[in-house]
Amino acid sequence: MSDRIGEALAPLTAALLRRTEREAEQTRERAGRQAAQTVAEAEEGARAVLADARARGEREADTEAAAERVATTRRVRTIELTARREILEDFRRRARTAVTGLREDPCYPALLKSLGRMARRRGGGDLVLAEHPEGGVVGEAPGRRVDASLPALAERAVDAAQGEAERSWLS
């Protein structure tokens, strides 16, 4: 009897087996589609993360490059200003040495008289003139002082030259 039951159930068993295989195949296909969709979404997400990271890296690199350019420009400007200051200080020292050396020149007495006349023209005829210890003259009157000393004249000459030098440095 169990053989007859088995024969009688054979078409049903075969049909159930075919149905189970079909459902299994559909489940595999659905799982494959879902897996492919998940992989595609993951790849798209990875591309988006990579693009974002790349853009962020480029922005950071641009920011760092800009900061480095600013820092370099500042360093160059500091070096340039330091060099200018050192040149100017050296020029002042040399000018002062050169003009105070004029006291040893045989023409110094004539220069001294000329500086006295210049001081009186600027400050008035009532100026009291005195020779400066480093050369030249200083004239004083109530409320007025005219410094025509050699060091002061050297400073004024350097200041004038500095203005010219700065204009040429800026062009």
Side-chain angles (χ1 to χ4, degrees):
M1 179 142 138
S2 79
D3 281 343
R4 271 194 269 164
I5 293 178
E7 284 177 27
L9 292 176
L12 181 60
T13 303
L16 284 174
L17 186 57
R18 281 191 304 274
R19 183 176 173 188
T20 303
E21 287 175 352
R22 219 176 22 251
E23 286 176 359
E25 182 60 31
Q26 288 172 350
T27 301
R28 276 193 299 274
E29 287 174 2
R30 251 191 332 272
R33 284 191 303 272
Q34 286 176 344
Q37 183 179 352
T38 300
V39 167
E41 289 171 359
E43 288 175 345
E44 180 61 31
R47 280 192 293 276
V49 167
L50 183 60
D52 183 53
R54 184 176 292 124
R56 196 170 43 249
E58 288 173 359
R59 283 191 306 271
E60 288 173 6
D62 289 347
T63 300
E64 287 180 27
E68 185 60 32
R69 279 192 301 274
V70 167
T72 298
T73 300
R74 285 181 180 155
R75 283 191 303 270
V76 166
R77 182 72 174 145
T78 298
I79 291 167
E80 179 182 349
L81 291 174
T82 299
R84 286 180 184 181
R85 188 183 82 259
E86 288 173 358
I87 289 168
L88 187 59
E89 287 171 4
D90 184 56
F91 186 42
R92 282 188 195 286
R93 184 184 50 75
R94 288 174 185 235
R96 188 176 186 116
T97 300
V99 296
T100 55
L102 290 174
R103 290 180 301 172
E104 307 302 320
D105 190 288
C107 295
Y108 180 68
L111 175 63
L112 202 57
K113 285 181 186 178
S114 178
L115 290 174
R117 285 191 302 273
M118 180 188 76
R120 282 205 166 97
R121 275 194 310 272
R122 286 194 177 170
D126 62 336
L127 285 181
V128 175
L129 298 177
E131 187 172 353
H132 189 275
E134 294 182 68
V137 295
V138 175
E140 293 184 359
R144 295 178 309 242
R145 184 172 194 276
V146 177
D147 189 349
S149 66
L150 295 180
L153 295 173
E155 285 295 319
R156 287 185 211 130
V158 170
D159 289 343
Q162 177 185 2
E164 286 297 316
E166 285 177 356
R167 280 189 287 283
S168 71
W169 286 334
L170 294 175
S171 22

